[in-house]
Amino acid sequence: MSESSLIYVPTLTPTLWATLRDIYQGDEPPRLVVEMESPELEEMFEEGEFDPIERFYTLVDEDESNGHNSNPDIAWIDYSEPGDLLLDEELIIGRQALLNARIQVVVLGVQALSQQSWRNTDNPERVIGVRPVFREEGLVNVEIVDAISSSQELMREFTAHLQEMRCPFSTVWLDVPGGAAQRIRTAIETEAWSLMRTSAANPAWINRLSAEIFGREDGLFDELLARDPEVSWLETHEMAQAMYGDGRFRPLNDAYPPASSDLWSLLTAGPDEPMVPDTYIKRPGRVLIVGTPHLAEAWKDRIYTSSQGKTKTVAWEVWDLGSITEEGLLSVKEQGPFDLALEVLLGPPDERQQVLDLVVPLLAKDAQVWVHTLNLPATITVQPVPEVFTAVGFGGLIPFGESNVVELARPRNSSPSDLAKAMGAAYGLGFQPIQVADEPGGISARLFALLVNHAAWVLHERLLTSPADVDAALKRAFGMNQGPFRLADTIGLDVVEAVTLGLQANLGGGRYRFCPALTLRIEAGEIGRITDKGFYLP
């Protein structure tokens, strides 16, 4: 497309303004023509709400065409909001110029391009759908919909145009509601609301821990407030209607309170820290970590670092009961007794309880046992632990960020003092303890697993065609420093499977339907770094 090509906008809307401003801000010479005869739009310009940059022209009539007198090369129209101006044909100025454009770019909202009531029925191959993706800093990605009716030649021409404008984009190869980023955003935001509404998680901790998972400064609720909760609520419910019957997108009816709600005051106040009696704050001298090798090794390293090397840590790496030997058990016993035992075996309840039977004789008097809650509530797993010991649940994943948070859950059959003692031990080891519900995944592991699982659905359903494409699109959309599949290689797909299936079994709901593509990867041994096979390994 030549530098003299004409980019035509018959009706300017807020979404179009933000999109075109960021795409064409470096365009020299200017080629963008905005036509405007709507009194409402003219008032927006006069009041400075959409302060036009100098390359945005206003065509009052045919005589004032700024030197452009041919059919447009690209016409941009906005179809992202219900009740849009395009629903009224009388408000589309220069409709013939729009229809004569070589490429007609339709800005979509949740609805698929094929579901729009307005289409160029005479030349459908000219129509290309896009979904602009914004963050606080502006436009961060453009999802281009490769609809069946769109001309591949014109698709290549349009993508070349975006490359010329140095605009980041992703090609979505299936015309489905929401596109890639919106589908994942809906699932993750709904899960955050579920944690707060039904699991009684502190919203400030959800906000902080989600920021650490994404590797950015702002959390999910920060971003939601910046985007406007009402807009998010409308998008979520529109997605649920468009995907009716697919439980992955079922919303919570009481989510997304208005910006004036007390929720946002709780977020700005920051998370509460638990009050623990000083007598309970003690650093365990010896810690045993028993379970799945990559989790055991990760916790060993983190406890050593957090305690500044003052606590002796022993990792007893166990894949399953069959991997336990008498020699290994004797070696661990010689390094005890232990003041704290962390159980991190990703296995069924009976195997985990049998491993705890082996751990109990290795404990010191008044020792503590922490069992992971990645796939089961602690109430189920701690049953073999005698009452003389303190037994609680914990999140299972090492902390993602600098806050060094360890999530602790109180089993139903334990006393409040057990949780307080465990928090004291966590403080002693240099962690920041918080209480979470006795449910699979806690906060961090739950959000991480949902992120990877729904990213896998995007890949499985061929919206994007490679793990690298998914990671690149989501890094831009969510401001992540690592994409979900890169994170999965580091942490392990077996963790994602354990959390997701645990949520599905204990809480139910289509949102936790595990992606079959991940099951095949796990069965093939492509778990991640621990097996040296994964999305990017070897």
Side-chain angles (χ1 to χ4, degrees):
M1 192 169 291
S2 67
E3 292 185 355
S4 61
S5 57
L6 174 62
I7 315 301
Y8 177 61
V9 185
T11 304
L12 191 65
T13 64
T15 301
L16 261 184
W17 165 258
T19 302
L20 301 179
R21 174 197 60 199
D22 290 350
I23 292 178
Y24 295 104
Q25 59 185 346
D27 186 20
E28 293 293 344
R31 68 182 97 180
L32 186 61
V33 176
V34 177
E35 187 165 353
M36 195 174 53
E37 291 181 7
S38 164
E40 293 82 4
L41 289 173
E42 290 179 355
E43 185 177 346
M44 290 178 184
F45 270 88
E46 290 172 0
E47 294 178 357
E49 186 172 347
F50 300 104
D51 184 21
I53 49 182
E54 61 183 22
R55 65 186 61 82
F56 275 38
Y57 301 109
T58 300
L59 296 181
V60 179
D61 52 46
E62 294 181 357
D63 295 332
E64 297 186 25
S65 59
N66 292 286
H68 298 294
N69 52 21
S70 60
N71 289 327
D73 296 283
I74 299 178
W76 287 77
I77 52 178
D78 187 0
Y79 222 113
S80 63
E81 299 177 12
D84 192 82
L85 292 176
L86 285 175
L87 295 181
D88 188 346
E89 293 189 10
E90 294 181 359
L91 289 178
I92 299 182
I93 310 153
R95 186 175 181 84
Q96 192 59 46
L98 167 66
L99 295 177
N100 289 342
R102 176 173 168 78
I103 300 174
Q104 297 154 25
V105 182
V106 179
V107 176
L108 301 170
V110 169
Q111 294 296 326
L113 179 63
S114 59
Q115 295 173 323
Q116 301 298 337
S117 58
W118 179 90
R119 289 188 297 273
N120 186 339
T121 54
D122 295 330
N123 303 105
E125 71 279 359
R126 296 185 185 181
V127 181
I128 296 175
V130 299
R131 287 187 176 89
V133 180
F134 295 95
R135 282 186 50 76
E136 191 172 358
E137 60 268 28
L139 183 71
V140 293
N141 197 32
V142 173
E143 292 187 2
I144 307 173
V145 179
D146 186 22
I148 294 177
S149 59
S150 301
S151 162
Q152 293 302 303
E153 178 185 352
L154 295 181
M155 282 283 294
R156 288 191 292 270
E157 187 174 330
F158 180 63
T159 55
H161 176 65
L162 292 184
Q163 288 174 330
E164 179 190 359
M165 294 294 100
R166 298 179 181 177
C167 173
F169 67 89
S170 305
T171 301
V172 176
W173 299 97
L174 195 63
D175 181 22
V176 295
Q182 181 60 44
R183 285 174 161 238
I184 296 173
R185 185 189 305 278
T186 297
I188 298 301
E189 286 185 356
T190 301
E191 191 62 23
W193 287 114
S194 178
L195 280 165
M196 186 184 71
R197 297 298 202 204
T198 64
S199 303
N202 185 309
W205 279 117
I206 298 172
N207 197 50
R208 177 180 293 187
L209 294 175
S210 64
E212 294 185 352
I213 294 169
F214 290 137
R216 65 191 197 195
E217 293 185 2
D218 58 325
L220 279 172
F221 290 144
D222 288 327
E223 183 181 41
L224 196 151
L225 182 58
R227 292 176 60 232
D228 186 347
E230 184 177 355
V231 171
S232 296
W233 185 88
L234 290 171
E235 289 176 348
T236 299
H237 282 261
E238 191 177 355
M239 176 68 79
Q241 293 172 1
M243 300 297 294
Y244 183 77
D246 191 333
R248 290 178 295 166
F249 305 103
R250 182 180 179 183
L252 296 181
N253 291 327
D254 62 345
Y256 303 99
S260 59
S261 167
D262 291 341
L263 167 65
W264 312 114
S265 300
L266 291 174
L267 288 176
T268 55
D272 296 329
E273 295 188 8
M275 301 296 293
V276 178
D278 291 342
T279 54
Y280 287 164
I281 300 178
K282 299 177 182 178
R283 177 178 57 82
R286 296 183 181 183
V287 177
L288 171 65
I289 307 107
V290 56
T292 304
H294 50 295
L295 292 178
E297 193 63 33
W299 274 106
K300 176 185 176 181
D301 294 342
R302 180 55 67 95
I303 290 175
Y304 180 85
T305 302
S306 296
S307 67
Q308 299 178 342
K310 297 177 182 179
T311 293
K312 179 181 179 180
T313 56
V314 176
W316 185 11
E317 299 181 1
V318 175
W319 281 108
D320 51 33
L321 283 175
S323 63
I324 297 177
T325 63
E326 291 186 8
E327 293 81 6
L329 179 58
L330 180 61
S331 174
V332 172
K333 184 177 181 179
E334 290 174 349
Q335 301 178 69
F338 298 96
D339 305 302
L340 170 62
L342 272 65
E343 179 271 326
V344 289
L345 179 63
L346 294 177
D350 56 339
E351 283 200 1
R352 294 179 60 188
Q353 290 174 349
Q354 290 179 62
V355 168
L356 287 175
D357 286 335
L358 298 175
V359 169
V360 168
L362 309 178
L363 299 177
K365 182 182 179 181
D366 298 328
Q368 297 185 20
V369 178
W370 296 3
V371 298
H372 80 79
T373 58
L374 291 171
N375 62 345
L376 280 173
T379 301
I380 297 174
T381 315
V382 299
Q383 292 178 12
V385 180
E387 292 183 2
V388 294
F389 299 113
T390 296
V392 299
F394 80 112
L397 285 187
I398 62 171
F400 280 86
E402 297 178 356
S403 62
N404 223 22
V405 170
V406 60
E407 302 170 24
L408 299 176
R410 176 192 165 191
R412 289 182 178 273
N413 49 359
S414 69
S415 67
S417 63
D418 281 358
L419 185 63
K421 290 176 183 177
M423 287 186 170
Y427 276 126
L429 290 171
F431 291 106
Q432 167 63 64
I434 64 171
Q435 182 178 1
V436 296
D438 188 18
E439 296 176 347
I443 297 176
S444 297
R446 197 159 154 179
L447 292 176
F448 162 72
L450 265 288
L451 173 67
V452 175
N453 188 46
H454 282 266
W457 276 109
V458 165
L459 184 61
H460 178 65
E461 294 176 334
R462 303 288 295 173
L463 274 71
L464 298 170
T465 56
S466 72
D469 287 343
V470 175
D471 275 357
L474 298 186
K475 281 176 65 177
R476 292 194 289 263
F478 298 112
M480 303 176 68
N481 59 3
Q482 291 188 80
F485 294 140
R486 184 76 67 180
L487 276 173
D489 274 353
T490 302
I491 294 173
L493 278 184
D494 51 350
V495 173
V496 177
E497 181 186 43
V499 175
T500 309
L501 295 184
L503 288 166
Q504 190 177 47
N506 287 271
L507 302 182
R511 196 162 61 253
Y512 309 125
R513 182 152 57 98
F514 195 58
C515 180
L518 295 184
T519 300
L520 294 178
R521 283 183 170 272
I522 293 169
E523 292 298 320
E526 300 173 8
I527 295 175
R529 187 172 57 185
I530 185 64
T531 60
D532 202 28
K533 293 180 181 179
F535 292 102
Y536 298 98
L537 299 169

